[in-house]
Amino acid sequence: MAEIHLTGRPASPGLAIGAVTVLTAAVAKRTPTGDPAQEAVVLKAAIEGATTEIAELVGAVDGDVADILQFQVAMLEDDALAEGAYDAISAGVAADHAWRSALDAEISGYRSAEDEYFRARAADMVDIRDRVLARLSGVDTVAKITGGSIVACDDISPSIFLAADWTRGGAITLGAGSPSSHVAMLARARGVPMVVGLGPLSWNGPPPALALVDGDAGTVIFDPEPGTQRLFEHRMAVANAARAAADVGRTEPACTADGRRIAVLINIAAPEDLAGLDPAICDGIGLVRTEFLFETSHGLPDEDTQYAVYRRILEWAKARPVTIRTLDAGGDKPIAGLTAEGESNPFLGLRGIRLSLARPEVFRVQLRALLRAAVHGPLKIMLPMIAIPSEFDRAAVMLDTEFSALRAQGIACARPPLGIMVEVPAAALRAEYFGAAFYSIGSNDLTQYTMAAARDVGAVADLNDTGDPAVLALIARTVEVGRKRGVEVSLCGDAAADTHLTTALLATGLTNLSVSPIAVARLKTAIAGIRS
């Protein structure tokens, strides 16, 4: 069979070679019992099994992905979802056909919704449908993804990605998908090469047996000729040697070719992300996402629970600065019992600092825990989704009030610097009007809001580009305001780890970049090759 060359969009860097695993939706091949009551029991067991399967993944993932999985669990636990299927079963339809029909109707409704939030949830509904069908038919889709597999399919859900073992290599090649999707973010964090937007993955005859994946260039070669494979293997050996050399130097300071010092910090979603990491690899922690505390706890976390976690992170950093972001819930990160339900446009609704100010009883608990933790290291507090100065001012007053209250109670505490995330264009355009002690640019949302292009919608993925001159201009403006005010400016979004953007980002004047731990060595190597 002649080798097949396909070009898509790079979603996660790296090179991979391996056997191809073609994922297809689970097709129920089962013999109906013929008894409606028994068919209902079978469907109920399949739904409960799928719910347990997904719920077990929630505790092992970070904030964004945990939200997706929790949405799926909530949908499966909602009796209304399966109501139509049970009605069809009572009329004599087999459980698998009844479930597929009911879920296909739901999926169609989500896909045709006017609101982008609900259209984006269509992929979750497909995942829910196929997981239950898999349990009904005894098909284990995840079991097919063996270590080192090159997965080929139209799209892949976060739950399937998380359930697979990527420790032995492998890669993902998608006919559709987006470089800004949640799965792409997961792939980058886990070091799994990924290419999306390849077009229909269909073959005349048997599917390919082997694939070469270039996650840097966005290319895939299926069934390569021996000569092509040898050249690719040589490239991989060179790349692996370069990565090993970079890993050796990852504890060294990051400097450009002409000696400009760049601070490289890390982003974490939970203390578990620090396990086995040497603090010497970084200049500190540029972003701690605190959403994990609210997702994994039974109810809202109390002050002592939060304090213990923040203290643990500060002690790991060994006197390096740690920036902890206050709760960034809402939008695509709902939290049961806290975020608003039924918003017509959650991304422009009550999220981030807006939610914290609307729920002061929750916000004050977090502020008190942070104030207490600040005695254990150089803590900085960061406010998400700030748009106007009065939001910062109100939060600052609340912080000062809780600081005074703790001191009056004789509780050890310290008042950390209070800064803002610059992820709303309005904040970038008026940065000088905020009394922030520092600015941290959230490139994901800043790009999304500037370009009016959702980061997880494949059809507009090309527009969602941090390298666009408009986005870079907002970053440069924020850096210039920080320079004039004498305050630090950093960038903690996905763009910081994209080495194709490193030159452009440093050209804006940035000297602080924060990335996932796995990206530290690669970023330091890229910085070393840049001449200011």
Side-chain angles (χ1 to χ4, degrees), residues 177-212:
S178 165
S180 303
S181 68
H182 289 294
V183 171
M185 293 169 64
L186 274 176
R188 290 190 290 271
R190 303 274 176 103
V192 180
M194 180 173 174
V195 178
V196 302
L198 291 167
L201 296 178
S202 57
W203 298 273
N204 295 323
L210 191 74
L212 315 176

Side-chain angles (χ1 to χ4, degrees), residues 328 347 351 385-386 421-431 439-455 463-479 489-495 505 508 510:
D328 186 22
F347 281 100
R351 59 171 299 204
M385 276 297 291
I386 289 281
M421 283 197 81
V422 177
E423 48 193 339
V424 177
L429 291 168
R430 302 187 73 232
Y439 304 109
S440 183
I441 297 166
S443 61
N444 295 353
D445 272 329
L446 183 62
T447 303
Q448 176 173 243
Y449 290 131
T450 301
M451 304 307 295
R455 65 188 189 184
L463 288 171
N464 192 279
D465 178 16
T466 303
D468 186 274
V471 183
L472 291 174
L474 291 175
I475 293 173
R477 190 188 189 285
T478 306
V479 172
V489 181
S490 62
L491 188 145
C492 64
D494 272 358
L505 292 176
T508 67
L510 280 167

Side-chain angles (χ1 to χ4, degrees), residues 135-157:
R135 296 193 74 85
L136 283 168
S137 61
V139 176
D140 188 351
T141 305
V142 175
K144 296 180 181 178
I145 307 178
T146 56
S149 289
I150 305 298
V151 175
C153 55
D154 184 59
D155 208 348
I156 185 172
S157 69

Side-chain angles (χ1 to χ4, degrees), residues 97-463:
H97 295 296
W99 174 257
R100 179 181 287 279
S101 178
L103 267 290
D104 282 348
E106 289 283 340
I107 292 165
S108 177
Y110 274 82
R111 284 175 173 162
S112 61
E114 291 185 5
D115 190 273
E116 176 57 42
Y117 172 79
F118 289 102
R119 289 201 301 274
R121 290 299 189 188
D124 296 303
M125 299 304 293
V126 170
D127 193 15
I128 288 170
R129 180 197 66 192
D130 293 346
R131 275 188 173 271
V132 174
L133 286 175
R135 296 193 74 85
L136 283 168
S137 61
V139 176
D140 188 351
T141 305
V142 175
K144 296 180 181 178
I145 307 178
T146 56
S149 289
I150 305 298
V151 175
C153 55
D154 184 59
D155 208 348
I156 185 172
S157 69
S159 62
I160 289 178
F161 177 93
L162 290 164
D165 178 11
W166 300 104
T167 59
R168 288 181 286 167
I172 299 171
T173 62
L174 302 181
S178 165
S180 303
S181 68
H182 289 294
V183 171
M185 293 169 64
L186 274 176
R188 290 190 290 271
R190 303 274 176 103
V192 180
M194 180 173 174
V195 178
V196 302
L198 291 167
L201 296 178
S202 57
W203 298 273
N204 295 323
L210 191 74
L212 315 176
V213 180
D214 186 336
D216 298 299
T219 60
V220 182
I221 302 174
F222 291 106
D223 281 334
E225 299 287 349
T228 304
Q229 183 174 337
R230 283 195 297 272
L231 287 172
F232 191 85
E233 288 171 342
H234 176 70
R235 284 185 60 206
M236 281 189 68
V238 171
N240 289 338
R243 184 167 57 250
D247 285 341
V248 169
R250 70 176 184 160
T251 57
E252 298 298 318
C255 295
T256 61
D258 51 359
R260 181 185 176 199
R261 178 74 167 89
I262 305 297
V264 174
L265 302 96
I266 60 173
N267 301 332
I268 67 167
E272 290 70 28
D273 293 351
L274 300 171
L277 282 182
D278 182 353
I281 69 168
C282 64
D283 294 295
I285 301 178
L287 170 63
V288 177
R289 302 178 179 94
T290 59
E291 294 79 62
F292 72 93
L293 277 165
F294 294 79
E295 293 157 355
T296 58
S297 61
H298 298 289
L300 301 178
D302 61 24
E303 182 180 321
D304 288 339
T305 298
Q306 294 190 56
Y307 161 72
V309 171
Y310 303 149
R311 176 177 177 174
R312 178 179 164 192
I313 293 170
L314 282 160
E315 290 176 342
W316 175 89
K318 298 187 184 303
R320 293 171 179 83
V322 174
T323 300
I324 297 181
R325 183 176 69 188
T326 59
L327 179 63
D328 186 22
D332 61 345
K333 296 181 284 189
I335 294 177
L338 184 60
T339 51
E341 296 182 8
E343 288 185 310
S344 60
N345 192 334
F347 281 100
L348 300 181
L350 197 64
R351 59 171 299 204
I353 190 62
R354 304 168 185 179
L355 178 64
S356 291
L357 293 174
R359 295 291 302 272
E361 75 284 4
V362 176
F363 192 34
R364 289 183 185 280
V365 170
Q366 183 169 39
L367 293 178
R368 285 175 62 90
L370 288 165
L371 288 162
R372 289 172 57 193
V375 301
H376 300 288
L379 169 66
K380 298 192 287 186
I381 299 176
M382 180 163 64
L383 305 173
M385 276 297 291
I386 289 281
I388 56 177
S390 62
E391 291 171 327
F392 174 85
D393 296 339
R394 289 173 60 192
V397 168
M398 291 177 68
L399 182 66
D400 290 335
T401 299
E402 295 308 317
F403 177 56
S404 297
L406 286 170
R407 292 186 66 184
Q409 293 173 274
I411 298 174
C413 60
R415 206 286 195 183
L418 184 65
I420 65 171
M421 283 197 81
V422 177
E423 48 193 339
V424 177
L429 291 168
R430 302 187 73 232
E432 61 268 38
Y433 292 94
F434 295 85
F438 62 92
Y439 304 109
S440 183
I441 297 166
S443 61
N444 295 353
D445 272 329
L446 183 62
T447 303
Q448 176 173 243
Y449 290 131
T450 301
M451 304 307 295
R455 65 188 189 184
D456 57 355
V457 178
V460 296
D462 289 341
L463 288 171

